[in-house]
Amino acid sequence: MVINSLSLSSGDINVLEIDNHNYLNTSVNIKDLQNIIENNWYVPRFRIFVLYHDETVSYEIPQDDIVVGGSYSENYQNGQRRSLSFSLYNDDGKYNPNINIFWAGTRLRLDVGLELNSGDVIWVKKGVFVIDQINPIQQSGNNLVQISANDKFGLFENKTGTLEDTYEIPEGSEIEQIISGILLSDMGNGQSFDTRKFIYHSSFKGKKTQVIISKSAGETFGSILLELATQLSAEIFYNSEGMLNIIPTDEVSLDNNKPLLYHYDIEEGDVDSLGFNFNMNEIVNRVIVIGVSKTGGVCKAIAVNDDVSSPLCYQRIGYRTGSIINDSNITTNYLAEERAAYELRRTLIMQSATNINVNINPLLSVNNLISLTGEFFELKQERFLIQGISFSLDYSNIMSISLSNIKNLPGIM
């Protein structure tokens, strides 16, 4: 087995494993893989592993036991990003949920593969998941078990992450230590939420909380993690390796500087269809953020799309203001400015999306760029940001992608 990795500008990572029947002298590089995808020289493959609590592999679920037609989705947002669902044949009852198999807290890993003409398979990890729902079904001719799972951030937002008492973090507490403490907290069964090393950007080293964070009983660890990310001006999510990632918003929002992961030509049949939905009443090109300084004053920032090359800029269509954001975690004008710019970009991404279907491409991940060329809409290597990805675990070789043209995003990003 040969392993390669590719760091993405979104802060995520693509990890490639190459299984082969004959030894390879060198690993397949990214350009080779792009050529394979472009020429459709592969058959899509999928595999699902059951993991121990430390996320080492317990066993792979046999391919013959997995019903064709499960699904994977990935959406660009803080917190939970990835979800997985699939069904298993269960005629002999071996997958009936019990404390020894597929019980509360069971962790899974999904890999997406490209089987080449040579028989080699290039595998790409797509995340670590925790089962949140199991439905055994007895029916005529086929007994099944349906399973759905979300990435590990759900552990902190669901019942497992509920606070039993008031939880308070004093002002001036070191944020890295707080996050580490939450991840290593006992879930009540002698096991921690997450023992994996988390990725904490070097610019955050030594950063401390700027205000008291106080949560009541019944709230969640997830809400604390999201507030800590707000104070850092960071995105927080689990990457494809199943590691918590905390990365500056200004770094992952530099869309104009991101490399392209792939190019699609509509005239060449790379895309089945392309359409745009313009909901004029939902357009937002101005965001206002209000916080509270430590002295009790008001912190305020306004971010506008003032890029005259953007069709959504205020110079063309006037101000379209979103809901005012009030957040006590914003304690300086600088933090308010960062939050306003980030929220404006996020809003524009969500409200200017289009959907396309392409061949399955495991290199693609949200908050990264692809380009499109097509004569009808006068697109010439136009760059689009990936907002969402979904595909079925079958052999249809179809991936749905939600995109936003980065021309709709403010030039300051």
Side-chain angles (χ1 to χ4, degrees), residues 8-14 72-83 126 151 235-240 245 247 252-253 255 258-259 261 342 345 349 361-370 384-391 399-404:
L8 304 177
S9 54
S10 62
D12 210 334
I13 184 171
N14 274 334
Y72 167 84
S73 67
E74 181 182 339
N75 292 295
Y76 180 35
Q77 60 189 28
N78 265 341
Q80 292 187 54
R81 286 195 175 184
R82 306 168 194 266
S83 63
K126 299 306 288 185
D151 70 39
E235 286 192 355
I236 183 169
F237 62 95
Y238 272 93
N239 67 15
S240 61
N245 197 350
I247 188 169
V252 295
S253 300
D255 300 308
K258 291 177 179 177
L261 292 186
Y342 179 76
R345 173 179 176 270
I349 290 170
N361 185 341
L363 291 179
L364 302 186
S365 184
V366 298
N367 197 22
N368 289 282
L369 296 182
I370 64 171
F384 286 78
L385 186 79
I386 301 173
Q387 178 187 346
I389 291 172
S390 63
F391 53 80
M399 169 185 279
S400 296
I401 308 175
S402 177
L403 304 169
S404 178

Side-chain angles (χ1 to χ4, degrees), residues 48 50 59 61 65-66 70-71 83-89 95-97 101-103 106-108 129-137 144-150 393:
I48 301 171
V50 177
Y59 63 91
I61 299 175
D65 291 353
I66 301 175
S71 65
S83 63
L84 171 68
S85 64
F86 60 96
S87 297
L88 299 173
Y89 293 112
Y95 290 122
N96 285 339
I101 186 169
F102 296 148
W103 201 235
T106 299
R107 303 187 183 205
L108 308 168
F129 306 85
V130 181
I131 291 177
D132 61 10
Q133 188 169 344
I134 308 174
N135 299 318
I137 300 173
L144 303 175
V145 171
Q146 297 174 337
I147 296 173
S148 65
N150 288 308
L393 308 187

Side-chain angles (χ1 to χ4, degrees), residues 204-224:
F204 296 148
K205 293 291 184 180
K207 293 283 188 179
K208 298 181 179 180
T209 53
Q210 300 155 58
V211 295
I212 296 172
I213 295 178
S214 181
K215 296 294 178 182
S216 303
E219 295 187 82
T220 66
F221 279 121
S223 63
I224 295 174

Side-chain angles (χ1 to χ4, degrees), residues 43-49 60-63 66-72 84 109-115 121-124 126 360 362 391-399:
V43 175
R45 293 273 302 275
F46 309 93
R47 62 185 183 186
I48 301 171
F49 295 95
E60 179 183 350
I61 299 175
Q63 291 291 322
I66 301 175
V67 179
V68 173
S71 65
Y72 167 84
L84 171 68
R109 191 185 94 198
L110 172 68
D111 292 358
V112 177
L114 306 179
E115 183 175 356
V121 182
I122 302 173
W123 294 104
V124 181
K126 299 306 288 185
I360 282 182
F391 53 80
S392 296
L393 308 187
D394 58 21
Y395 300 100
S396 62
N397 199 21
I398 295 175
M399 169 185 279

